[in-house]
Amino acid sequence: RSVWSPDFAPKVGVAIADGGLIVVAGNDAPGSAFPGGSGRLRFIDLEAGLEVQSLPLTGTLRAFATDAADGRWIAGGDFGVVLSEASGAAAGPAFAAAAIGGVPARVALCGPYWARLAGTQAALYDRSGVLQGQFSVAATRVADLACSADGSRIYVGGDRQVNANLRVAYVEAYDPSGAMH
């Protein structure tokens, strides 16, 4: 039986949490543009086919990432960032967008750390929200980020406008202070 609502667009991400739950991240009433609508995390017991919890977020959900090794997840959007508890089966710490340097376009988990991308600025935080390092990437567009399990490297990718007719794609690695490796 279906647990989906026609007004919910699970376009952002899915995570597998402890206890047989999956976490579906999407936006209610997204309209025709992505991202749009109001963010929501839905916790679904697949065995029973039931939604066991629904967590509305204040604003549009823009990014969602998971750590498949332990079931943790991170959600980012107009509201800032929400981390999961250790099992991934519920929400944990939350940080407002103003407290983390802006609305994240992308987020990533890095072991005991998490990273966010806002425009061309990347930042690394510990789980309690303490900034560990940040830097700007000299690029036309930074499209995504990932990080190493120990938080020692932040990887960014996107493109640079070289001239009127040429954009060049890149993937680069930085330490949290912004030194390129």
Side-chain angles (χ1 to χ4, degrees):
R1 92 183 186 200
S2 174
V3 294
W4 307 114
S5 162
D7 293 332
F8 183 71
K11 294 181 178 178
V12 181
V14 176
I16 300 170
D18 284 352
L21 293 178
I22 65 166
V23 182
V24 180
N27 288 296
D28 289 325
S32 60
F34 177 80
S38 298
R40 181 175 301 275
L41 300 174
R42 294 184 178 211
F43 297 81
I44 300 168
D45 180 335
L46 283 181
E47 178 100 6
L50 298 172
E51 182 176 300
V52 295
Q53 182 184 3
S54 177
L55 177 65
L57 302 168
T58 311
T60 300
L61 180 66
R62 297 175 181 277
F64 186 80
T66 183
D67 184 336
D70 64 12
R72 291 182 312 125
W73 49 262
I74 181 173
D78 296 346
F79 49 87
V81 166
V82 176
L83 298 172
S84 72
E85 66 174 12
S87 71
F95 308 98
I100 60 167
V103 173
R106 296 283 187 260
V107 292
L109 292 171
C110 323
Y113 304 101
W114 56 273
R116 69 106 181 103
L117 175 66
T120 59
Q121 187 179 68
L124 184 73
Y125 298 84
D126 69 15
R127 285 203 45 89
S128 62
V130 175
L131 182 65
Q132 302 297 303
Q134 66 182 349
F135 58 91
S136 290
V137 179
T140 306
R141 183 174 66 107
V142 183
D144 208 353
L145 90 162
C147 45
S148 60
D150 65 358
S152 65
R153 296 286 184 269
I154 300 170
Y155 304 91
V156 295
D159 59 72
R160 291 185 172 93
Q161 190 79 40
V162 176
N163 60 44
N165 299 316
L166 179 62
R167 287 186 127 172
V168 176
Y170 70 90
V171 175
E172 298 170 341
Y174 295 85
D175 69 20
S177 70
M180 191 183 300
H181 292 270

